Amino acid sequence: MTDVHGRDLRYFVAVADELHFTRAAERLFVSQPALSKQIRALERQLGTPLFTRDRPGVRLTPAGEALLPHARRVLAAWDDAQAEVERAKAATRATLVVGMSTSPGRGGLLPAVRSRFTSAHPEVTVRLRQVSWDDATAGLADGSTDVSYVWLPLPDEERYAWTVVAEEPRLVALPEDHRLAERATIPFTDLVDEPFLALPRSAGRLRDYWLATDAREGRPARIGAEVASTEETYEALVAGLGVVLLAVGNAPLITLGGVTTRPVSGIAPSRFVLARRRDDRRPLVAGYVRACGEVVRDTGTG
């Protein structure tokens, strides 16, 4: 027996619901002779009548009664499948939200990734979302962003996957008149007792990372102030509230006047990444990650 088409089952269910060929044909927007012909073809295919047609009207045969619940389930499953396909199609026309807490200037990375992504997905709108530093995931944790440019380490790292965008030495930013500002390079051991500007406590592991807690040999950091944005950091530096570690690529955001940066020895470099939720397998997310990886590879920034 060859496979039955979904159309045949839909015609069968319509007649079973109406128990009247003319009303079923009107419901299906087909002619009554065409509907009758299709039902007879289905009966021949199954090798048994599905309806009795006599003077009192149309009734289901025992075979028709047996088929009906299965036909309904098949049609319902197909309707669900079509709905999923429509949702997938809609996803390709959606807006992709890209989060960041620090603008990834870095040689025009952001426009290059955007250009490559939109050339492959011209129907998609890419929206950038600036997120405060108190969220180390830049919106990934609460689902308000689809992908995000963030610094490692991330809280709950097992939830995320990432592409390394840049690996950069960490500098220290300090007021131009600071006693250590004349040094060409500053060992971190000379900074241990300085007051530091810190991320909010909600940043978790990232706060500890930018305080270089792992290089302090158990000595707690002195916190001069908490900062949650580039602007707050600059103002706190100018006010002399503390010093702060930052990546090379972010130095231009801070050195606006009255502030200088120096290389720091004795601490590991920073890693800037494009992150996504590990369980998010949507095609648009994968497409943006792929575009970013291609740009990083082609430019050698990673």
Side-chain angles (χ1 to χ4, degrees), residues 96-100 102 104 106 109-110 113-114 117 126 128 136-138 140 145-152 154 160-167 271-278 284-296 302:
L96 188 80
V97 182
V98 180
M100 63 189 70
T102 301
R106 291 164 176 79
L109 171 79
L110 200 59
V113 175
R114 185 189 193 114
F117 175 74
V126 177
L128 303 181
T137 72
L140 289 178
T145 61
D146 300 307
V147 294
S148 288
Y149 290 98
V150 294
W151 295 97
L152 296 182
L154 287 169
Y160 308 104
W162 55 79
T163 297
V164 176
V165 170
E167 184 169 295
R271 287 194 296 165
F272 191 55
V273 304
L274 174 71
R276 62 170 176 82
R277 289 177 291 277
R278 193 177 293 277
L284 289 187
V285 169
Y288 191 91
V289 171
R290 183 166 52 252
C292 180
E294 290 170 355
V295 169
V296 169

Side-chain angles (χ1 to χ4, degrees), residues 35 66 100 168:
L35 175 60
M100 63 189 70
E168 301 173 348

Side-chain angles (χ1 to χ4, degrees), residues 169-172 183-192 212 215 245 262-269:
R170 281 184 282 180
L171 307 178
V172 61
R183 303 267 193 95
T185 298
I186 303 174
F188 185 73
T189 51
D190 289 352
L191 293 168
V192 168
L245 296 176
R262 293 291 182 269
V264 179
S265 61
I267 56 175

